[in-house]
């Protein structure tokens, strides 16, 4: 065996070893790449799922916010309508004819003057109240009409003013009025 044969054997062995190392390196690189691709897919899937959850939550928040705004707007509109109805009722009371006013005052006084000593009314109704009531006329009050009857020591005041009656009826029947108007 010659030197050339030994060199060729060493060279062939080295080339075989390099080829083996290259195959192992390629296999390891493929494994690393496959693992990296799997990790990338997993991370991408997780981020996509998180993004979809965030979008769903954001959409839900926007819908809830819009619903609240609609409810607020609707409630404000209903409030405005109820206030307009109340204003129209005040205007209707203010427009009572003198005969209607006298009739109402007579009814209020007859039913309630036994409870008091003094009586008050607005300036427009003063003469009518003095004519209809046996109570001491104590002065004028501001308002749409009606009377206030007071006991002897002034500790009890019965408010039968049209304003007071309207306010009381409005408070008691607000729910029913709302149901009638808005269903």
């Amino acid at each position: 065996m010659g030197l050339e044969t030994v060199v060729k054997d060493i060279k062939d062995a080295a080339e075989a070893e390099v080829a083996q190392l290259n195959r192992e390196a390629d296999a390891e690189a493929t494994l690393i790449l496959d693992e990296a691709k799997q990790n990338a897919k997993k991370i991408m899937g997780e981020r996509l799922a998180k993004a979809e959850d965030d979008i769903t939550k954001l959409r839900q928040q926007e819908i809830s916010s819009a619903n609240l705004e609609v409810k607020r707007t609707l409630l404000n509109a209903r409030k405005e309508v109820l206030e307009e109805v109340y204003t129209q009722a005040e205007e209707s009371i203010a427009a009572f004819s003198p005969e209607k006013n006298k009739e109402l005052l007579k009814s209020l006084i007859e039913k309630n003057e036994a409870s008091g000593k003094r009586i008050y009314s607005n300036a427009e109704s003063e003469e009518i109240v003095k004519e209809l009531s046996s109570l001491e006329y104590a002065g004028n009050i501001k308002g749409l009409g009606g009377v206030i009857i007071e006991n002897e020591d002034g500790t009890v005041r019965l408010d039968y003013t049209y304003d007071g009656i309207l306010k009381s009826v409005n408070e008691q029947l607000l729910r029913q009025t709302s149901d009638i108007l808005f269903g």
Side-chain angles (χ1 to χ4, degrees), residues 24-36:
E24 288 175 6
D26 286 345
E28 192 173 327
T30 302
L31 269 171
I32 290 171
L33 281 174
D34 287 345
E35 190 176 309

Side-chain angles (χ1 to χ4, degrees), residues 73-181:
T73 302
L74 182 61
L75 287 174
N76 286 338
R78 285 181 175 185
K79 181 181 175 191
E80 287 177 21
V81 169
L82 289 170
E83 287 172 356
E84 180 63 29
V85 168
Y86 189 86
T87 300
Q88 287 177 0
E90 286 179 322
E91 290 169 357
S92 295
I93 291 169
F96 281 167
S97 67
E99 296 80 26
K100 179 73 171 175
N101 187 40
K102 186 173 184 175
E103 179 185 324
L104 289 172
L105 288 170
K106 181 178 180 183
S107 175
L108 288 171
I109 291 169
E110 284 176 356
K111 289 180 183 175
N112 301 293
E113 78 176 336
S115 305
K117 174 78 172 157
R118 289 181 289 284
I119 193 164
Y120 299 83
S121 73
N122 66 8
E124 294 83 23
S125 301
E126 181 177 346
E127 293 305 317
I128 298 170
V129 171
K130 285 180 179 178
E131 173 189 323
L132 295 173
S133 177
S134 61
L135 299 177
E136 172 190 332
Y137 191 81
N140 297 126
I141 54 169
K142 290 185 179 183
L144 296 172
V147 293
I148 291 179
I149 298 175
E150 187 176 71
N151 70 352
E152 189 169 337
D153 61 4
T155 57
V156 177
R157 292 185 79 168
L158 303 174
D159 184 352
Y160 296 109
T161 60
Y162 300 156
D163 308 79
I165 294 168
L166 179 61
K167 183 178 178 185
S168 175
V169 167
N170 184 55
E171 288 171 359
Q172 291 173 10
L173 301 178
L174 185 60
R175 177 81 173 154
Q176 289 174 312
T177 304
S178 179
D179 288 347
I180 290 168
L181 291 173

Side-chain angles (χ1 to χ4, degrees), residues 59-75:
R59 182 180 295 127
Q60 195 61 36
Q61 287 173 346
E62 290 295 322
I63 290 170
S64 294
S65 179
N67 284 338
L68 281 175
E69 186 61 31
V70 166
K71 285 179 182 178
R72 186 178 305 117
T73 302
L74 182 61
L75 287 174

